Amino acid sequence: MTMTTGEDVWRRETPHILAALMRRFGDFAACEDAVQEALLEASQQWPSAGVPNKPRGWLLRVASRRLIDAKRQDGARLERERRVFARDHPDESPIAEAAVEDRDSSLEVLALCCHPSLKPEAQVTLALRAVLGLSTEQIAALYFIPSATAGQRISRAKTTIDQHGRHFPHPDTATDRLPAMLHALYLMFTAGHSRLNGKDLFDREVTSEALRLARLLHASLPDETETAGLLALMLLSEARRPGRRNPTGELVTLRDQDRTRWNAKMISEGVRLLETVLPTGPVGAYQLQAAISAVHSEASTWEETDWAQIVELYSMLARVAPSPTVTLNYAVAVSEVHGPRAALEMLEPLLADKRMSRSHRLFAVRAPMLEALGDLAEALAAYRTASRLCTNVPEQRYLNAQITRLSKELDAEKI
């Protein structure tokens, strides 16, 4: 078994194990700890013994035993604790595997994590950890925050859970936690679609799981327009994934991608879904992002892209859901319509934003705009800053190639 195989299994099974334990024991924090201990034991045993035929059952047995052991050891006297536990839980055997083997509990855990007693950022952070198994570092990268800050959010969320007796109730209705659930799924997809570190541009396991959950959520709430909008956005983004790298794994920018490699069937599905929901109600942030992605997806070349329409859509998005990332992408569209100088003026405030100052993408976007204005020295400096901040290997190679190219051009000018 490779580590990649093991990680894929752990990521897929974690929410199901957590939900099964929660249904029996109810103690969120203790159940999560037991799941983490089971995953640790799997990481030690599976590489040599192999992945079990039923990994969910294996993990469930180990996690439930950890919980039982922990409950036994909480009291001062082991025997008294055993009697109390036996009285409260007559069936001391691990949870029946058959009860959870075919049950998909991912949305159930997602809803639990999005409890209204938690602040919105804590809801999403906990969901990213419990449902997808993202590390603290991955969560920090998504939020453009230090890892220590992300860790503090997780700790505060668990403290809040403790204050509620460690038992978090399910939502009263199917929609009362929907905004947080959508945001968590959006960030899950983003984590896989644009990896901020590692040797690959994306993580297909993460994007596939986020897309699967978005389909489940849309199927359970077919009349919710933003649920449909998020699913359409994921479909349209995932459809363009094959063009994002060449056969050797190198990054290919949207301008230079071979669009015949895009998944036409997935694009059609996303566009059809979007066209169904746009006329039916208020247009939210996910529908607007999906509409922007649809304009890109339906253009046969970069030059044939309806950039004016994209600018208008970003203008709407900036009013509905303003953020530094929206401004960054908005500026790219403005550069195509109104020129790089206007776009650079939009980006100027982001240079003072502490969140964006840690992101290589701000400088990677500024560099070609500066180059288009003929300021090669400033463009080179921006590329160098982007390369220094970048932790994704293919993106870093692309940035380094631009540094080499511009350095040669500047050297030629001096001759």
Side-chain angles (χ1 to χ4, degrees), residues 26-235:
D27 187 331
F28 188 98
C31 290
E32 189 191 23
D33 289 343
V35 171
Q36 294 303 316
E37 290 182 20
L39 295 178
L40 177 60
E41 186 162 333
S43 71
Q44 296 169 344
Q45 292 192 24
W46 290 4
S48 57
V51 178
N53 291 332
K54 294 184 177 181
R56 186 177 301 180
W58 190 98
L59 291 167
L60 188 58
R61 285 194 300 275
V62 173
S64 59
R65 286 169 184 163
R66 293 293 180 272
L67 270 173
I68 291 171
D69 290 343
K71 285 180 177 292
R72 284 175 170 174
Q73 295 168 9
D74 279 344
R77 298 179 58 188
L78 182 61
E79 184 60 25
R80 182 178 64 185
E81 186 65 19
R82 186 196 65 78
R83 289 197 299 268
V84 170
F85 186 83
R87 181 195 66 198
D88 294 341
H89 303 280
D91 179 14
E92 191 174 334
S93 62
I95 303 168
E97 295 177 26
V100 297
E101 196 63 43
D102 297 320
R103 180 169 181 172
D104 193 317
S105 305
S106 303
L107 291 181
E108 180 182 348
V109 174
L110 181 62
L112 283 171
C113 291
C114 294
H115 190 276
S117 295
L118 297 174
K119 293 181 179 180
E121 66 270 15
Q123 293 174 341
V124 176
T125 300
L126 195 60
L128 291 172
R129 185 65 170 266
V131 179
L132 197 61
L134 294 189
S135 68
T136 302
E137 291 74 19
Q138 288 173 306
I139 295 170
L142 282 173
Y143 277 107
F144 299 118
I145 57 177
S147 295
T149 303
Q152 290 168 1
R153 288 185 181 179
I154 295 171
S155 297
R156 284 197 296 268
K158 291 183 177 180
T159 298
T160 302
I161 293 172
D162 286 343
Q163 292 170 351
H164 282 75
R166 302 170 74 91
H167 291 70
F168 258 21
H170 289 264
D172 294 328
T173 69
T175 60
D176 65 354
R177 301 180 191 178
L178 186 59
M181 294 173 69
L182 290 173
H183 188 47
L185 289 179
Y186 173 76
L187 287 180
M188 287 178 191
F189 185 84
T190 301
H193 186 69
S194 301
R195 292 183 62 171
L196 291 178
N197 52 54
K199 297 182 179 180
D200 207 342
L201 288 168
F202 36 77
D203 187 329
R204 290 190 65 183
E205 284 293 327
V206 175
T207 56
S208 296
E209 178 65 5
L211 185 55
R212 184 185 71 83
L213 293 175
R215 287 189 185 278
L216 284 176
L217 192 57
H218 175 57
S220 65
L221 300 169
D223 296 328
E224 290 291 333
T225 57
E226 275 292 75
T227 304
L230 178 60
L231 176 56
L233 173 61
M234 290 184 180
L235 287 166

Side-chain angles (χ1 to χ4, degrees), residues 359-369 382-383 385-386 395 399:
S359 171
H360 72 281
R361 296 201 169 110
L362 171 58
F363 302 94
V365 166
R366 290 184 77 248
M369 296 176 183
Y383 273 128
T385 300
E395 285 189 80
L399 293 168

Side-chain angles (χ1 to χ4, degrees), residues 144 321-331 347 350 353 355-356 362:
F144 299 118
S323 75
T325 302
V326 169
T327 301
L328 188 66
N329 294 324
Y330 188 2
L347 295 178
L350 298 186
D353 188 312
R355 294 170 296 175
M356 296 304 292
L362 171 58

